[in-house]
């Protein structure tokens, strides 16, 4: 019985406020409730091909049947994209901008039906698709229309990848489509995009908008399907770059599948983001931040603030406030305009979430679920809080991807940072404190790509978004997001290495070589600022250009790499050192190298057979390069973004952390310097594997490092058999990124083995650089040496 | 709110200590106040951006339709302090206002909405001291309380003894609610003791009449000041805290309301006493007042949607609510001239 006015006057309930789905259902009917692929500007709906159903999670009703993309479908889409790409990239930036602008306008004009379709397909509250997802998607196209417009002046030495394969998740189907397609198109790529199989509809609607905007056929292709279709995209040889958003588990599979293929790759994966609440926070504000952080979108958000770290003194108060606030969250029909939480994506996922919560309870957590009794049946899961959780508990470690908050306490700021970083992930973090000194002190210490101060889950097209660690690599949005769809133009002109059979250039021996008149100089490894005897106590004989014994170096093994990483870990202070100091030390290295230029020149001549002029040129270039990075050390600044709100977003450039750097054989001095100097300039600590053939150049360098005030552990050098060392470096979970330059296929192996902690990789893909060229220095290198962290700082009193 | 009939009462001075423990009205005890707690004030934190995000999104998160909207508007109507505070007020003008307060909605609409039994009136009639006797007389036999603005309203800067006498005078004339304005200087200079003493003295002067303390938030500069002033006003025994006199350049808004509501919540949690809230000024439309109701319900719960804990100081709001109600009943958009003026 519906209550009458007088009764409502008494209860003061909200009552239903349904949004009509009539227009969206009509659109589906017009398509015969059958959605195919959008390839080369046309709908492809082969009657015979396999289909699957997409259903409304709110009522289990089928919305449409969807074609399952096959290899042939992917081939056709890639072919269309490839054909269209040259012309698309050749368009004047202004022309591409006009198309993107038209798409933005069309999204706005169709905002209503898009948001209803999204809610039908996904189960998210209509309020969120209407006020969040769809307007943000439009904003993304507007912003990137701008990048297309000014691309020529802003990215003059860059070119698009070509055909980009994009695989997106079900939690923000349309917004993720915008995040993927807008920058790709702006940069001049064409795309083959696969929506998630649970949420195919808004992508299909977008295809119609592409037609309406007059977008040339083949520029955007949408292939529907599940993971099998995604795998076809991932391995397609004509796709030059893969952009993926989804689970860390699938991210690993994609990293492995693309290893050695030369494809560009960006991954935006899972998270277990901390929300740190200090005792001097506005607790009510933090409560609302958590509503936006963990119960928003039913917690199915990669950057959900799922770990609450609250200072012990205010923990009880905070939990009380949260528990109270949870009772006000309205859970129900996603199409109701006054609903805070809709449905989970499907029953399987619901079960996964409730199983994890049960596990948390079994491990000792206290369950707070005030809405549980009134929670509607079906695919709903009530807002949930688990207190008395400890870092060792499953619910503190695993990404639940549901509306579940795990609460832990801390005593000091230092402990808060420690707990916040005690995770394999590194996507986002929130910091709540009314003390700006404290908040801005903590932000840089959190390993995360996005830090929200006194706020949560804020996004903007102008601000990069993306993670550290196992949350993936690459950024979406802003300038850094554009770089994810561009590559340096000069790379295309680099020659492939001449096929040279990789042969061991060094011989193993135990005793020092005899027959050398001078006093024995057996170079050891350089670890933690000291020469260290190789763990295995084996040495390698190094021959000169004439095949004569030139000296010996230590044969490093796994344990030496381990020791080097430990030394690097201890040198954390380098990342915080004043940029001026980093510059001074690089200048000092240059100064000392210059003083010993003759010695290095002779060494180069004898080892590589370089002419005196060539050797001189290399030494000079090395000195010059050191100056270059000393110069950059205090100039490669971050940016301050101004999203449309009263706040600043500081895009801070931070060191990546610990780098493994594998140097090539050519120009052994210059390439060595060209790689370690940018890493060092940006505050990283490195483990360097020098040229296998000419390691003596690097070992000669020890004395320069010793006399140039380089702090212990900032540069560590491990000589030895490259193939063995590369493997250890790639697999080491405490190395944050690896750079590989060399003539063999080891780069691919390295990418494959990097999946343990999903470290960033940068390999030369079998292309040979000219290290003397100006292109072998500068921003391309610096970009690989930094992570961009966006710190959102709202202000106002 | 006390809803006793507005017969003339003798002023009965009361102090915090000798106040009855609970003057129960609509099921809650009157706030007796607490000692001034400066430590509590020191711990106050208010984040403006977060307030704005909450109030900005809440209005999009909640919606009431059809019968629900009608019921909510009727409830809002029952919380209106129908107000006239003009220099040219006359007994005739006040009589007209009181007539409207007694019969705020047209008879046929009341019948169509099926709410005859509610005997709906506005929450109170709010006038200057000089008009109190007229209002009291006009409202005799009803449950509508007369509220008087007092204590040097709207500036509140006349000598304190004089302000207290004003309060006593209005109470003596039969006002059962007294709206006073605090000394903003005490807030702006952080003189919390002075503020506490002032409000406490006023509370004592009120006796059984309820004290609504106007913070004049538009002149308090920051949200932290608003929060601290709210807490001190409650510690000193205010029955309501109120945003504005209606004479400042910045009236009530949702952000300032959110700060004050959260203080009311904290105060309740600390002391167990419920304090009412009254936004005033600038709330002119049905849509406006529903936003406030959402905020009340979400932040404090249903009890704060009732007239004993929620009042809206407004003069033109009633007209818009009537038009919306007629639209709800007839499906046609209404016009001002179809509803009696107040």
């Amino acid at each position: 019985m519906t209550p009458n006015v007088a009764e409502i006057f008494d209860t003061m309930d909200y009552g239903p406020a349904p949004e009509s789905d009539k227009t969206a259902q009509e659109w589906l009917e017009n398509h015969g409730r059958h959605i195919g692929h959008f390839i080369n500007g046309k709908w492809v709906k082969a009657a015979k091909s396999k289909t699957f159903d997409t259903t409304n999670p709110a009522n289990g009703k089928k919305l449409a049947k969807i074609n399952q993309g096959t290899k042939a479908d992917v081939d056709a889409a890639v072919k269309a994209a490839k054909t269209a790409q040259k012309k698309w990239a050749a368009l004047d930036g202004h022309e591409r901008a006009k198309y993107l602008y038209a798409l933005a306008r069309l999204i706005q004009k169709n905002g209503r039906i898009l948001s209803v379709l999204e809610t039908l397909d996904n189960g998210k509250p209509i309020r969120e698709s209407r006020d969040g997802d769809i307007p943000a998607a439009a904003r993304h196209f507007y912003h990137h229309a701008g990048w297309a417009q000014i691309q020529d002046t802003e990215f003059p030495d860059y070119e698009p990848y070509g055909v980009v394969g994009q695989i997106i998740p079900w939690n923000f189907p349309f917004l993720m489509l915008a995040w993927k397609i807008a920058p790709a198109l702006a940069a001049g790529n064409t795309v083959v995009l696969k929506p998630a199989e649970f949420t195919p509809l808004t992508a299909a609607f977008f295809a119609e908008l592409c037609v309406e905007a007059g977008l040339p056929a083949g520029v955007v292709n949408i292939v529907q399907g599940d993971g099998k279709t995604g795998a076809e995209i991932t391995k397609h040889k004509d796709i030059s770059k893969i952009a993926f958003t989804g689970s860390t588990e699938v991210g690993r599979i994609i990293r492995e599948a693309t290893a050695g293929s030369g494809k560009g790759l960006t991954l935006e994966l899972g998270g277990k983001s901390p929300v740190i609440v200090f005792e001097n926070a506005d607790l009510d504000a933090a409560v609302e931040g958590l509503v936006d952080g963990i119960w928003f979108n039913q917690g199915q958000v990669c950057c959900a603030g799922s770990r609450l770290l609250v200072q012990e003194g205010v923990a009880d108060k905070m939990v009380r406030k949260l528990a109270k606030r949870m009772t006000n969250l309205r859970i129900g029909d996603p199409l109701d305009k006054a609903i805070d939480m809709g449905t989970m994506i499907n029953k399987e996922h619901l079960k996964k979430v409730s199983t994890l919560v049960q596990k948390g309870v079994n491990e000792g957590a206290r369950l707070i679920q005030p809405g549980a009794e009134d929670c509607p049946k079906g695919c709903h899961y009530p807002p949930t809080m688990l207190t008395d959780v400890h870092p060792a508990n499953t619910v503190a470690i695993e990404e639940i991807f549901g509306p579940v908050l795990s609460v832990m306490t801390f005593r000091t700021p230092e402990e808060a940072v420690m707990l916040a970083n005690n995770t394999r992930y590194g996507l986002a973090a929130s910091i709540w404190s009314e003390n700006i000194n404290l908040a801005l002190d903590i932000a840089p210490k959190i390993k995360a790509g996005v830090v929200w101060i006194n706020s949560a889950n804020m996004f903007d097209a102008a601000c990069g978004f993306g993670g550290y660690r196992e949350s993936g690599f690459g950024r979406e949005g802003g300038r850094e997001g554009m770089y994810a769809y561009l590559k340096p133009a000069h790379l295309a002109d680099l020659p492939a290495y001449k096929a040279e059979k990789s042969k061991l250039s060094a011989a193993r021996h135990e005793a020092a070589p005899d027959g050398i008149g001078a006093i024995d100089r057996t170079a050891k490894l350089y670890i933690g600022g000291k020469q260290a005897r190789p763990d295995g106590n084996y040495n390698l004989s190094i021959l000169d250009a004439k095949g004569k014994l030139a000296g010996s170096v230590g044969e490093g093994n796994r344990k030496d790499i381990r020791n080097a990483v430990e030394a690097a870990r201890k040198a954390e202070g380098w990342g915080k050192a004043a940029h001026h100091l980093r510059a001074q030390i690089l200048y000092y290295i240059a100064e000392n190298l210059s003083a010993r230029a003759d010695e290095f020149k002779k060494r180069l001549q004898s080892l590589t057979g370089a002419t005196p002029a060539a050797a001189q040129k290399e030494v000079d270039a090395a000195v010059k390069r050191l100056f270059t990075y000393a110069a950059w050390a205090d100039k490669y600044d971050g940016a301050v973004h101004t999203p449309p709100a009263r706040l600043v977003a500081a895009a801070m450039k931070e060191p990546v952390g610990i780098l493994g750097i594998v140097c090539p054989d050519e120009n052994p001095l210059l390439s060595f310097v060209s790689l370690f100097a940018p890493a060092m300039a940006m505050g990283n600590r490195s483990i360097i594997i020098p040229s296998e053939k000419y390691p003596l150049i690097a070992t000669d360098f020890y004395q320069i490092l010793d006399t140039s005030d380089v702090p212990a552990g900032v540069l560590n050098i491990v000589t030895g058999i490259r193939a063995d060392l590369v493997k250890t470096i790639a697999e080491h979970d405490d190395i944050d990124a690896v750079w590989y330059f060399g003539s063999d296929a080891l780069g691919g192996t390295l990418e494959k083995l990097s999946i343990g902690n999903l470290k960033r990789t940068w390999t030369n893909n079998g292309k040979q650089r000219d290290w003397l060229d100006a292109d072998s220095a500068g921003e391309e290198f610096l970009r690989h040496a930094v992570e961009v962290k966006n710190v959102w700082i709202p202000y106002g009193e | 709110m006390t809803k006793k009939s507005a017969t003339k009462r003798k002023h009965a001075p009361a102090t915090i200590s000798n106040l009855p423990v609970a003057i129960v009205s609509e099921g809650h005890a009157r706030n007796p106040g607490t000692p001034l707690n400066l430590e509590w004030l020191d711990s106050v934190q208010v984040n403006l951006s977060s307030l704005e995000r909450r109030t900005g999104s809440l209005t999009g998160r909640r919606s009431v339709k059809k019968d629900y909207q009608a019921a909510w508007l009727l409830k809002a109507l029952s919380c209106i302090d129908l107000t006239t505070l003009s220099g040219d007020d006359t007994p005739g003008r006040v009589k007209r206002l009181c007539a409207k307060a007694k019969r705020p909605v047209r008879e046929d609409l009341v019948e169509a909405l099926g709410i005859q039994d509610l005997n709906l009136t506005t929450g109170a009639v709010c006038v200057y001291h000089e008009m109190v006797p007229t209002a009291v007389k006009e409202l005799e036999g009803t449950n509508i309380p007369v509220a008087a603005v007092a204590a040097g309203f709207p500036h509140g800067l006349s000598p304190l003894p004089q302000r207290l006498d004003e309060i006593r005078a209005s109470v003596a004339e039969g006002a059962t609610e007294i709206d006073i304005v605090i000394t903003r200087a005490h807030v702006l200079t952080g003189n919390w003791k002075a503020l506490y003493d002032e409000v406490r003295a006023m509370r004592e002067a009120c006796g059984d009449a309820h004290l609504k303390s106007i913070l004049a938030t538009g002149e308090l500069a920051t949200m932290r000041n608003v929060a601290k002033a709210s807490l001190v006003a409650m510690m000193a025994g205010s029955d309501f805290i109120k945003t504005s006199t209606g004479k400042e350049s910045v009236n009530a808004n949702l952000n300032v309301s959110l700060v004050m509501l959260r203080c009311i919540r904290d105060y309740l949690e600390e002391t167990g006493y419920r304090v009412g809230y009254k936004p005033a000024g600038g709330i002119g439309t049905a849509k406006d007042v529903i936003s406030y109701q959402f905020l009340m319900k979400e932040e404090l719960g249903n009890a704060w949607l009732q007239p004993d804990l929620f009042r809206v100081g407004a003069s033109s709001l009633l007209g818009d609510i009537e038009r919306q109600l007629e639209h709800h009943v007839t499906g046609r958009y209404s016009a001002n001239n179809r509803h009696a003026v107040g």
Side-chain angles (χ1 to χ4, degrees):
Chain A
M1 258 266 306
T2 38
N4 63 35
V5 173
E7 285 161 347
I8 302 166
F9 185 86
D10 228 33
T11 63
M12 287 303 281
D13 286 339
Y14 282 116
E19 170 78 34
S20 165
D21 65 350
K22 188 163 165 279
T23 315
Q25 295 288 1
E26 274 168 14
W27 181 81
L28 287 167
E29 286 297 337
N30 292 342
H31 280 261
R33 295 198 178 266
H34 181 187
I35 302 291
H37 314 303
F38 181 72
I39 296 172
N40 206 22
K42 291 189 192 65
W43 287 105
V44 179
K45 238 193 263 194
K48 269 189 276 176
S49 70
K50 262 175 77 177
T51 63
F52 59 90
D53 291 343
T54 185
T55 56
N56 178 351
N59 57 21
K61 282 191 191 147
K62 173 179 160 183
L63 292 165
K65 68 174 176 180
I66 311 292
N67 279 74
Q68 162 75 21
T70 60
K71 179 172 187 305
D73 296 323
V74 172
D75 283 345
V78 174
K79 192 174 164 211
K82 198 177 173 192
T83 309
Q85 197 267 329
K86 280 218 165 68
K87 232 173 144 182
W88 177 250
L91 281 183
D92 181 60
H94 175 58
E95 295 302 316
R96 284 203 306 282
K98 284 197 288 186
Y99 284 115
L100 289 167
Y101 184 74
L103 286 169
R105 293 294 290 251
L106 284 167
I107 291 167
Q108 272 186 328
K109 272 198 270 184
N110 290 279
R112 193 97 178 204
I113 185 171
L114 273 168
S115 47
V116 174
L117 267 180
E118 196 77 318
T119 286
L120 283 176
D121 213 9
N122 167 283
K124 67 172 65 201
I126 182 71
R127 185 194 70 77
E128 283 171 14
S129 40
R130 181 197 67 194
D131 298 345
D133 299 49
I134 307 302
R139 154 104 180 112
H140 222 75
F141 275 94
Y142 279 125
H143 178 80
H144 284 89
W147 281 125
Q149 178 72 31
I150 58 177
Q151 185 179 358
D152 287 351
T153 53
E154 293 305 299
F155 305 99
D157 301 320
Y158 285 78
E159 61 183 18
Y161 275 90
V163 179
V164 177
Q166 306 181 313
I167 299 169
I168 58 173
W170 48 257
N171 57 344
F172 295 92
F174 194 70
L175 184 57
M176 289 303 104
L177 173 146
W179 279 26
K180 292 283 178 287
I181 290 184
L185 260 47
N189 303 278
T190 54
V191 307
V192 174
L193 175 132
K194 186 195 84 65
E197 67 268 36
F198 305 124
T199 52
L201 297 182
T202 43
F205 193 92
F206 178 75
E208 291 189 345
L209 298 185
C210 291
V211 174
E212 204 176 330
L215 199 69
V219 171
V220 167
N221 303 274
I222 290 166
V223 181
Q224 303 282 6
D226 60 12
K228 292 192 282 293
T229 313
E232 293 297 341
I233 292 173
T234 306
K235 69 185 184 201
H236 202 288
K237 65 174 179 24
D238 285 335
I239 285 180
S240 315
K241 184 210 156 95
I242 298 289
F244 171 76
T245 298
S247 70
T248 295
E249 185 190 349
V250 175
R252 279 208 172 84
I253 295 171
I254 292 177
R255 166 73 287 187
E256 205 167 8
T258 54
S261 67
K263 283 185 176 66
L265 179 65
T266 44
L267 299 173
E268 203 270 90
L269 309 174
K272 191 78 187 174
S273 298
V275 176
I276 305 172
V277 177
F278 288 101
E279 60 191 7
N280 53 15
D282 175 348
L283 295 187
D284 291 309
V287 167
E288 293 306 322
L290 281 156
V291 171
D292 290 339
I294 184 64
W295 295 308
F296 161 66
N297 209 34
Q298 297 70 246
Q300 301 168 138
V301 183
C302 53
C303 53
S306 51
R307 282 187 300 146
L308 168 61
L309 306 174
V310 56
Q311 199 154 9
E312 218 168 311
V314 293
D316 287 347
K317 198 168 177 189
M318 185 70 191
V319 165
R320 257 201 330 273
K321 279 179 181 284
L322 277 166
K324 179 106 202 321
R325 181 69 177 88
M326 288 164 81
T327 62
N328 282 2
L329 291 170
R330 304 192 74 227
I331 179 163
D333 179 6
L335 275 176
D336 190 302
K337 283 179 273 200
I339 281 298
D340 295 312
M341 288 175 63
T343 64
M344 307 298 284
I345 187 68
N346 57 38
K347 289 267 169 66
E348 290 71 35
H349 187 57
L350 177 75
K351 191 153 173 250
K352 190 197 141 200
V353 171
S354 62
T355 306
L356 274 165
V357 169
Q358 189 54 52
K359 192 144 194 250
V361 172
N362 294 348
E363 289 176 23
R366 188 161 67 99
L367 177 69
I368 299 175
Q369 236 176 14
E373 288 120 58
D374 305 327
C375 184
K377 295 273 171 287
C379 220
H380 297 277
Y381 194 80
T384 300
M385 173 160 62
L386 294 167
T387 62
D388 302 326
V389 172
H390 303 286
N393 297 142
T394 307
V395 291
I397 299 167
E398 299 294 325
E399 180 178 39
I400 298 175
F401 221 64
V404 183
L405 180 68
S406 301
V407 185
M408 287 167 274
T409 60
F410 66 87
R411 295 166 297 174
T412 63
E414 197 185 348
E415 191 170 63
V417 170
M418 185 272 288
L419 288 169
N421 287 335
N422 186 217
T423 169
R424 280 173 287 137
Y425 296 108
L427 192 50
S430 280
I431 299 169
W432 295 85
S433 167
E434 289 301 304
N435 176 350
I436 189 171
N437 298 307
L438 178 62
L440 291 181
D441 180 43
I442 299 301
K445 293 178 178 165
I446 306 293
K447 295 278 177 204
V450 188
V451 176
W452 293 293
I453 292 179
N454 293 326
S455 51
N457 271 347
M458 301 213 279
F459 311 96
D460 185 59
C463 301
F465 180 87
Y468 286 31
R469 298 179 168 173
E470 288 179 41
S471 293
F473 41 78
R475 293 289 181 271
E476 300 190 274
R479 183 179 289 272
E480 51 267 36
M482 280 298 285
Y483 278 121
Y485 286 97
L486 291 164
K487 54 183 184 178
H490 75 92
L491 294 180
D493 305 326
L494 293 183
Y497 276 101
K498 286 201 196 76
E500 153 188 17
K501 197 151 185 306
S502 174
K503 57 172 196 283
L504 194 60
S505 50
R508 191 172 291 171
H509 67 89
E510 264 177 83
D514 43 35
I516 295 176
I519 296 171
D520 174 49
R521 259 184 83 193
T522 299
K524 296 177 192 161
L525 312 178
Y526 192 74
I527 294 175
K530 287 198 283 273
Q531 295 210 29
R533 199 181 298 283
D535 169 83
N537 207 14
Y538 282 104
N539 293 295
L540 296 171
S541 300
I542 303 301
L543 305 180
D544 67 12
K546 293 182 180 131
K548 279 206 198 136
L549 192 63
S552 71
V553 295
E555 183 187 352
N557 65 13
R558 295 171 53 81
K559 288 185 180 161
D560 296 309
I561 296 287
R562 178 201 63 188
N563 295 344
V565 174
E566 274 169 18
R569 178 56 58 208
K570 284 187 195 133
E572 208 141 6
W574 183 246
K576 297 170 201 137
H579 295 211
H580 173 72
L581 176 72
R582 292 183 203 154
Q584 291 305 110
I585 291 177
L586 283 161
Y587 282 127
Y588 203 4
I589 298 174
E591 184 187 323
N592 284 324
L593 175 60
S594 174
R596 299 169 65 165
D598 233 31
E599 178 193 328
F600 275 88
K601 177 186 162 195
K602 287 200 179 106
R603 192 61 130 168
L604 280 170
Q605 282 174 249
S606 88
L607 285 175
T608 68
T611 63
Q616 184 67 50
K617 201 172 164 193
E618 182 167 348
V619 175
D620 290 347
V623 171
K624 194 170 151 192
R625 199 135 292 171
L626 284 161
F627 258 63
T628 297
Y629 289 110
W632 272 118
D634 60 357
K635 291 173 192 67
Y636 192 51
D637 291 329
V640 175
H641 298 304
T642 47
R646 196 186 58 232
L647 54 84
V648 290
M652 299 169 41
K653 284 175 176 156
E654 296 188 340
V656 176
I658 298 179
L659 303 187
I661 298 178
V662 186
C663 301
D665 289 335
E666 64 272 15
N667 298 113
L669 173 65
L670 180 58
S671 59
F672 167 71
V673 166
S674 298
L675 291 167
F676 87 67
M680 205 174 143
M682 294 298 106
N684 300 282
R685 296 93 78 195
S686 308
I687 289 84
I688 298 168
I689 301 175
S691 153
E692 183 176 288
K693 215 164 166 182
Y694 311 116
L696 291 172
I697 295 292
T699 59
D700 287 356
F701 217 85
Y702 297 170
Q703 289 187 351
I704 291 183
L705 298 177
D706 283 340
T707 52
S708 305
D709 293 347
V710 178
V714 170
L715 286 188
N716 304 277
I717 298 169
V718 179
T719 53
I721 313 288
R722 204 175 151 83
D724 299 344
L725 297 176
V726 160
K727 184 168 177 292
T728 306
I729 279 190
E731 288 177 339
H732 200 302
D733 286 340
D734 205 18
I735 291 180
D736 300 297
V738 280
W739 297 358
Y740 177 87
F741 289 84
S743 62
D744 37 35
L746 269 178
T749 309
L750 185 150
E751 287 174 345
K752 206 184 238 1
L753 295 176
S754 70
I755 59 166
N757 67 344
L758 283 166
K759 53 178 67 71
R760 274 172 77 175
T761 60
W762 181 28
T763 65
N764 65 330
N765 295 319
K767 296 287 189 78
Q768 184 167 4
R769 271 179 190 267
D770 178 357
W771 293 98
L772 288 154
D773 196 283
D775 284 332
S776 285
E779 288 202 68
E780 184 190 358
F781 287 70
L782 295 167
R783 221 175 11 263
H784 285 281
V786 297
E787 290 278 13
V788 179
K789 171 188 279 178
N790 273 278
V791 180
W792 292 65
I793 313 166
Y795 55 86
E797 177 68 38
Chain B
M1 275 299 132
T2 46
K3 288 201 171 173
K4 54 178 294 181
S5 62
T7 50
K8 271 197 182 182
R9 286 177 312 177
K10 254 193 110 189
H11 168 58
T15 61
I16 296 285
S17 52
N18 71 10
L19 270 174
V21 176
I23 298 173
V24 179
S25 143
E26 304 281 319
H28 76 83
R30 197 176 169 193
N31 170 34
T34 68
L36 177 64
N37 183 342
L38 291 172
E39 206 179 305
W40 187 354
L41 294 193
D42 285 343
S43 72
V44 163
Q45 303 288 3
V46 184
N47 186 279
L48 179 64
S49 301
S50 166
L51 288 176
E52 290 168 342
R53 189 172 166 93
R54 170 74 169 143
T55 56
S57 68
L58 181 67
T59 43
R61 275 179 206 257
R62 292 293 179 260
S63 173
V64 279
K65 300 283 178 201
K66 301 189 171 150
D67 280 354
Y68 287 87
Q69 191 178 65
W72 278 58
L73 289 177
L74 291 167
K75 181 65 78 180
L77 188 155
S78 75
C79 295
I80 293 177
D81 277 4
L82 201 61
T83 302
T84 183
L85 294 172
S86 295
D88 56 2
D89 284 344
T90 60
R93 163 82 187 95
V94 171
K95 284 179 189 172
R96 194 170 76 199
L97 194 75
C98 291
K100 185 67 182 173
K102 289 191 273 190
R103 278 169 53 90
V105 181
R106 232 169 55 205
E107 196 75 37
D108 61 310
L109 294 178
V110 168
E111 275 162 30
L113 290 163
I115 53 156
Q116 299 90 323
D117 292 348
L118 294 180
N119 294 319
L120 206 67
T121 66
T122 64
V125 165
C126 181
V127 292
Y128 274 118
H129 172 79
E130 281 304 297
M131 299 297 141
V132 170
T134 309
V136 167
K137 184 158 181 293
E138 288 301 309
L139 296 175
E140 203 168 342
T142 73
N143 284 330
I144 306 171
V146 173
V149 296
F153 184 93
H155 50 76
L157 292 175
S158 44
L160 183 61
Q162 199 170 311
R163 282 184 276 153
L164 297 175
D165 282 344
E166 256 189 68
I167 293 173
R168 288 184 201 109
S170 287
V171 173
E173 295 286 2
T176 55
E177 301 180 6
I178 299 294
D179 290 26
I180 60 97
V181 57
I182 63 164
T183 301
R184 278 79 79 211
H186 292 334
V187 178
L188 295 172
T189 58
N191 196 348
W192 306 116
K193 177 80 170 57
L195 179 63
Y196 177 85
D197 290 345
E198 169 185 277
V199 176
R200 189 175 150 156
M202 290 179 181
R203 163 66 196 269
E204 288 179 9
C206 279
D208 284 346
H210 280 210
L211 175 66
K212 299 192 200 122
S213 297
I214 302 170
L215 308 183
T217 54
E219 293 175 350
L220 296 187
T222 70
M223 292 296 181
R224 272 170 224 271
N225 281 348
V226 170
K228 290 177 182 180
S230 299
L231 288 174
V232 173
M234 288 188 284
M235 290 171 191
S238 301
D239 296 289
F240 266 70
I241 50 175
K242 176 177 169 185
T243 56
S244 326
T245 61
K247 313 286 184 190
E248 295 90 43
S249 57
V250 179
N251 283 314
N253 60 51
L254 290 175
N255 294 330
V256 110
S257 299
L258 183 53
V259 174
M260 293 169 73
L261 296 188
R262 286 174 173 173
C263 289
I264 290 173
R265 191 169 62 202
D266 286 345
Y267 187 79
L268 171 70
E269 209 173 294
E270 285 293 321
T271 69
Y273 289 104
R274 295 174 167 192
V275 173
Y277 178 64
K278 179 177 174 186
I283 304 165
T285 68
K287 194 165 183 264
D288 288 342
V289 81
I290 284 182
S291 298
Y292 281 88
Q293 287 176 303
F294 289 157
L295 203 61
M296 301 304 294
K297 184 176 168 79
E298 293 291 324
E299 292 289 326
L300 287 167
N302 278 9
W304 270 266
L305 291 171
Q306 310 299 337
D308 62 329
L309 288 171
F310 182 47
R311 291 293 178 78
V312 182
S315 40
S316 63
L317 171 65
L318 180 54
D320 196 53
I321 290 180
E322 288 176 271
R323 285 195 299 276
Q324 299 308 321
L325 289 172
E326 183 167 26
H327 175 250
H328 175 72
V329 169
T330 65
R332 294 191 313 275
Y333 290 108
S334 184
N336 277 338
N337 65 324
R338 300 169 64 86
H339 304 280
V341 295

